Amino acid sequence: MFSCQLSGHIPDSVGNLTQIRYLDFSKNHFTGHIPSTISKLKQLTYLGLSSNSFTGEIPDIFSNLQELSYLYLRNNGFIGSFPSTIVSLTQLQRLDLSYNSLNGTIPSSVLSLPLLSSLSLQHNKFSGLANEFKTNPTLEYLDLSHNQLSLKVLLLSSCELKDFPHLTNVKKLLVLDISNNKIRGQIPNWFSGIRWDSLWYLNLSHNSLTGHLQQFHFHNLEYLDLQFNFLQGPIPSSICNMNNLQVLHLSHNNFSNSIPSCLGSMSNLTVLDLRRNNFTGSLPPLCAKSTSLSTIVLNDNHFEGTLPVSLLNCSGLEVLDMRNNAINDTFPAWLGTLQQLQVLILKSNVFHGPISTCQSTFCFPKLRIFDLSRNEFSGSLPAKIFGNFKAMIKLDGEDTGEIKYMKPSLRSMNPSYEDSVSLVIKGQDIELERISTIMTTIDLSSNHFEGVIPKTLKDLSSLWLLNLSHNNLIGHIPMELGQLNTLEALDLSWNRLTGKIPQELTRLTFLEKLNLSQNVLVGPIPHGPQFNTFENDSYGGNLDLCGPPLSKQCGTSDLSHVPQPLESEDESYFFSGFTWESVVIGYSCGLVVGTVVWSFMFKYRRPEWFVEFFEGIYPKKMRRSMKRAQRQRT
C-alpha cells in the first residue's frame, strides 16, 4: 500500500485484519481521520501513515497495540495535543510525529520509553516540555526543532545519542547537557550560529566531537565543558566576550596554538582547565586584572618560558598544576604568599636551581600536595620550607572521620566541577578524579638534591606520601621519620644513603609501600607488623643488608658481592696452605736476601752474571721499551 496513489478514507473494515503485523499506507492521498478500528490490530508491529492528508486530532487508539515498535505519522495535518496512549507503548523504538500542527506540552514520559531510539517532533507547535527530564540510554536521535518550546532545562546525558539533537527553537534554554553520548562530527553551524542569550550551562563533554570551534554566541554562559572530545585548532577569540564565564573546561582535546591573553582578565573566571591538549607558547599574564581564579590546570601541554608573576594576584588560588610542560624557571618561592594554595604541581618541566625560601612570615600555610619531581632542582632539601607546611601537621581534634573533597567555590550553581590530580601513589601513576581534603604528599624525586634528609620532616604528622628517590642524598635515614604515623608510602630509593635502617620505622603502622633499594644501607632489616609484609624489591641493591626477606643471613660473612679472581685447582691447593704466619716469615726472609743482593750490586757495579740473569726473566719487548726510555732521558 506504500505510495500507491490511494485516496479517500481508510475503511473501518481494516480492523478485521487482526493477524496483520505490518501496515504501511504512507505516501498516499488519504484524508479524514484515522479509523478507531485500528486498535483491534493487536499483533501490529509497524504502522506507517506518513505523508497523507489526515486531519483532526490523533485518536487515543494505541493502548491496545502493545506490540507496536514503529509508528510513523509525519507530514499530515494533525492538530491537538500529544496522544497520551502512546506513552504506554513499551515496545516502541521509533516515533515520528513531525511536520504536523500538534501543540501543548510534550510529556516527559515519552522520553522514558525503555526501547525508544528515535524521536522526531520537529516542525510542530509544541510550547511546553517538563523543565527537567532524562532519557533512557537507548535514545540515539532526538529532534525538537521548529517548535514553540519554552524549555529551560534539557538533560540528555548518557543517552547513547549518536546525532546532535536539533534544538533550533529553544533560545530561552538555560541548561543544556548532552554529555557522555556517542555524538560524532563537528558541532553544527546552526548551533554555533544561534545567539543564546539565556543559556548559562553547556556541557558537551565525553563525546567524539571533531573539527575547529566556531565563534561562540553564548554571551551569558557561566559554565562551558567540552572535555574528552577530539576538538582541535585555537580557542576562538569570541570566548573573550563571555564576561560571566566561571568554568572553562577544555581538557583532553587537541586544541593548539597559544591561549588567548584575555583569559587572564576575565573577572569571573574561577576554573581554567586546559590539561592534555597541544597548546604552545608562553603563559599569558593570568590574574592580570582579576583575582577570581581558584583552579589553574594546564598540565600535559607544550607551554614554555617562565611562570607569570601575575599569579601573585590570584589571592584565592587553591590548585596550580603545570606538570609535563617545558617551563624553564627557578623555584617560584613567591607563590608561598598565596594563603589558599593547597596543590602545587610543577612535575616534569625544566625548573632548576635550589629551593629558595620564602620571604613572608606565612609561607605555603595550606599546601598539602607538593610535587616538584622530574626537574633539574639542586642543592639541599628545603628544610625551612617543610617547616612552613602547617596543613601537613595534624592537629588534635581535626579528624572528624568525614572525608571531604576539594571543590571550587562557584556562584549561582551547584558546581559539577571537582578538582582532580595525577600523582605517583605507592609506585603507580594514579589519576585521582577527586582530591580529598586529607590527602598530603611530598614528591621531590628525580632531581639533583644533595645532602642529608632533614629531620624537620618529622613534624609533618599528617603526611601520607613521601618520595625523595633518584637524587644524590647522603647520610643516615633519620630515625625521626618514625614519627610520621600516618605515612602510607615512603620511597628513598636510588640515593647514597648509608647506615642501618632505623628500628623506629617499624612504628609506621599504616605503611603499605616501602622502597629503600639502590642505596648503601647495612645491617639487619628491622622486624615489625608492616615491615614483615615487604619483599626483596624494597631493599635491592643494598649489598650489606641482611635478614628476612633477603636470603642473606645476619652474622655470617658474605663476600659474594666482591669480585673473586679465577684460579685453577692447583693454585687453590697451593694458596690454601698459606697462613698469616707463613706470610710474615716469607716477607722477613725476602727482606734480608734483598738487602744483601742490593749491597753486593752496589759494591761490584752491575756484575755481568747478575745482569744476564735479570734480563733473562724480562720479556724482550719490556727491554726494548726500557732502552727507548733511557735514550729519551739522555
Side-chain angles (χ1 to χ4, degrees):
M1 299 289 187
F2 177 84
S3 189
C4 292
Q5 304 297 315
L6 299 175
S7 59
H9 297 266
I10 296 177
D12 290 340
S13 58
V14 71
N16 297 329
L17 305 173
T18 55
Q19 300 302 313
I20 195 170
R21 298 178 63 85
Y22 187 99
L23 182 61
D24 191 356
F25 287 138
S26 298
K27 290 193 174 183
N28 284 286
H29 302 287
F30 288 114
T31 58
H33 301 278
I34 298 176
S36 60
T37 54
I38 287 182
S39 63
K40 298 179 181 179
L41 309 180
K42 296 182 179 181
Q43 304 300 316
L44 202 62
T45 61
Y46 185 106
L47 177 61
L49 302 176
S50 296
S51 298
N52 281 282
S53 299
F54 292 111
T55 57
E57 296 186 358
I58 300 174
D60 279 336
I61 59 173
F62 301 104
S63 57
N64 290 333
L65 306 182
Q66 291 302 307
E67 300 298 320
L68 196 62
S69 298
Y70 301 92
L71 177 59
Y72 296 98
L73 303 180
R74 81 179 261 134
N75 196 22
N76 281 284
F78 292 119
I79 61 173
S81 59
F82 191 98
S84 59
T85 52
I86 287 181
V87 300
S88 66
L89 302 179
T90 58
Q91 300 301 311
L92 197 62
Q93 297 180 32
R94 292 180 177 270
L95 174 62
D96 191 345
L97 305 182
S98 63
Y99 292 90
N100 284 286
S101 296
L102 300 173
N103 55 42
T105 300
I106 300 173
S108 59
S109 54
V110 71
L111 291 167
S112 301
L113 291 173
L115 301 180
L116 190 67
S117 63
S118 177
L119 177 60
S120 300
L121 302 179
Q122 70 270 25
H123 288 274
N124 278 284
K125 297 180 180 179
F126 289 116
S127 58
L129 186 64
N131 281 341
E132 294 189 19
F133 63 88
K134 291 187 177 182
T135 68
N136 279 324
T138 56
L139 189 64
E140 297 179 356
Y141 180 86
L142 174 65
D143 194 342
L144 303 178
S145 63
H146 298 283
N147 279 282
Q148 300 170 1
L149 295 172
S150 58
L151 184 65
K152 293 184 178 181
V153 177
L154 182 58
L155 305 177
L156 299 176
S157 178
S158 303
C159 295
E160 302 291 324
L161 291 176
K162 294 182 179 179
D163 296 297
F164 207 97
H166 295 275
L167 304 168
T168 54
N169 256 17
V170 285
K171 292 183 179 180
K172 295 182 180 181
L173 193 66
L174 300 177
V175 175
L176 175 59
D177 186 351
I178 55 175
S179 63
N180 289 286
N181 284 289
K182 297 180 179 180
I183 303 173
R184 297 181 178 275
Q186 298 185 4
I187 297 175
N189 290 333
W190 60 261
F191 185 84
S192 301
I194 294 179
R195 182 183 176 91
W196 300 82
D197 290 329
S198 301
L199 192 68
W200 64 267
Y201 181 99
L202 176 60
N203 191 344
L204 309 181
S205 67
H206 294 86
N207 281 286
S208 297
L209 298 173
T210 59
H212 291 220
L213 286 182
Q214 304 298 319
Q215 295 296 332
F216 293 130
H217 299 282
F218 307 126
H219 298 288
N220 291 308
L221 202 64
E222 298 181 12
Y223 189 106
L224 177 59
D225 190 347
L226 304 178
Q227 64 172 312
F228 283 98
N229 280 287
F230 300 99
L231 298 167
Q232 60 189 31
I235 299 176
S237 58
S238 58
I239 202 165
C240 299
N241 299 324
M242 300 181 187
N243 297 324
N244 296 325
L245 194 64
Q246 296 184 47
V247 175
L248 179 60
H249 199 174
L250 307 182
S251 70
H252 297 84
N253 278 283
N254 297 316
F255 289 114
S256 56
N257 295 16
S258 58
I259 61 178
S261 59
C262 67
L263 295 181
S265 305
M266 302 179 75
S267 58
N268 293 307
L269 190 62
T270 303
V271 174
L272 178 61
D273 193 337
L274 307 180
R275 78 183 83 182
R276 294 188 182 275
N277 278 283
N278 295 311
F279 291 113
T280 58
S282 300
L283 295 172
L286 299 173
C287 288
K289 298 180 181 179
S290 162
T291 60
S292 58
L293 275 169
S294 67
T295 298
I296 301 175
V297 182
L298 305 178
N299 59 275
D300 292 278
N301 281 285
H302 306 288
F303 292 116
E304 54 190 14
T306 59
L307 288 180
V309 182
S310 60
L311 289 171
L312 280 173
N313 299 326
C314 301
S315 57
L317 189 63
E318 296 181 354
V319 177
L320 177 60
D321 189 346
M322 293 299 308
R323 72 181 184 276
N324 292 326
N325 280 286
I327 303 297
N328 192 331
D329 204 348
T330 56
F331 178 69
W334 41 271
L335 288 175
T337 61
L338 300 178
Q339 301 296 295
Q340 303 302 318
L341 189 62
Q342 300 183 47
V343 178
L344 177 60
I345 301 178
L346 305 179
K347 174 182 180 177
S348 296
N349 279 280
V350 201
F351 286 95
H352 54 273
I355 306 297
S356 53
T357 56
C358 307
Q359 301 301 320
S360 59
T361 305
F362 298 101
C363 181
F364 297 112
K366 290 192 176 182
L367 198 63
R368 298 184 295 103
I369 296 178
F370 186 51
D371 190 348
L372 306 184
S373 61
R374 298 184 181 275
N375 278 286
E376 302 294 330
F377 287 115
S378 58
S380 58
L381 293 177
K384 290 185 178 179
I385 287 187
F386 292 154
N388 291 319
F389 293 166
K390 304 301 181 184
M392 299 188 190
I393 301 175
K394 190 173 183 179
L395 304 176
D396 291 338
E398 88 175 343
D399 187 3
T400 61
E402 180 182 3
I403 298 179
K404 298 180 179 180
Y405 297 92
M406 291 184 64
K407 289 184 178 182
S409 299
L410 302 174
R411 305 191 320 272
S412 69
M413 66 187 341
N414 182 20
S416 57
Y417 182 91
E418 291 185 304
D419 292 310
S420 60
V421 70
S422 177
L423 296 173
V424 176
I425 299 178
K426 302 171 186 177
Q428 302 291 327
D429 281 311
I430 303 295
E431 188 82 28
L432 298 176
E433 295 183 357
R434 297 190 295 175
I435 306 175
S436 70
T437 55
I438 58 175
M439 167 65 72
T440 54
T441 177
I442 294 177
D443 192 342
L444 305 181
S445 62
S446 299
N447 281 283
H448 305 294
F449 290 114
E450 302 172 338
V452 300
I453 299 175
K455 296 180 180 180
T456 54
L457 283 170
K458 68 178 177 61
D459 297 325
L460 307 181
S461 54
S462 66
L463 190 62
W464 279 22
L465 312 172
L466 177 61
N467 190 348
L468 305 179
S469 66
H470 291 85
N471 282 289
N472 296 311
L473 302 176
I474 61 174
H476 293 195
I477 299 175
M479 67 177 67
E480 288 80 3
L481 294 184
Q483 299 179 31
L484 301 176
N485 51 21
T486 62
L487 199 65
E488 295 188 9
L490 175 62
D491 192 344
L492 305 179
S493 63
W494 292 96
N495 282 287
R496 292 184 291 157
L497 300 172
T498 57
K500 296 183 177 181
I501 301 175
Q503 181 68 32
E504 287 78 5
L505 294 187
T506 60
R507 301 173 184 171
L508 304 178
T509 54
F510 290 98
L511 196 63
E512 294 182 14
K513 179 71 176 181
L514 176 68
N515 193 350
L516 304 178
S517 65
Q518 306 302 326
N519 281 286
V520 200
L521 301 171
V522 300
I525 295 174
H527 297 285
Q530 290 303 111
F531 265 71
N532 294 343
T533 66
F534 302 136
E535 299 181 354
N536 291 17
D537 292 345
S538 296
Y539 311 104
N542 294 281
L543 301 178
D544 290 317
L545 285 178
C546 60
L550 303 179
S551 58
K552 179 181 177 180
Q553 300 299 313
C554 296
T556 61
S557 177
D558 184 3
L559 301 178
S560 59
H561 60 274
V562 179
Q564 300 293 331
L566 296 175
E567 57 186 20
S568 66
E569 185 178 345
D570 293 338
E571 288 174 330
S572 177
Y573 173 78
F574 175 76
F575 284 110
S576 66
F578 277 77
T579 61
W580 68 269
E581 294 95 339
S582 61
V583 171
V584 171
I585 294 173
Y587 178 81
S588 302
C589 294
L591 180 62
V592 173
V593 172
T595 303
V596 172
V597 171
W598 176 255
S599 301
F600 183 78
M601 288 177 59
F602 184 79
K603 181 176 181 180
Y604 293 100
R605 305 292 182 93
R606 288 181 59 186
E608 293 182 4
W609 66 268
F610 185 85
V611 173
E612 290 176 357
F613 172 79
F614 182 74
E615 290 183 345
I617 63 174
Y618 258 77
K620 292 182 180 180
K621 289 184 179 180
M622 180 67 76
R623 294 203 298 271
R624 284 198 294 267
S625 63
M626 291 174 65
K627 289 179 181 178
R628 282 197 299 270
Q630 186 175 10
R631 285 198 299 269
Q632 291 175 357
R633 288 196 297 272
T634 58

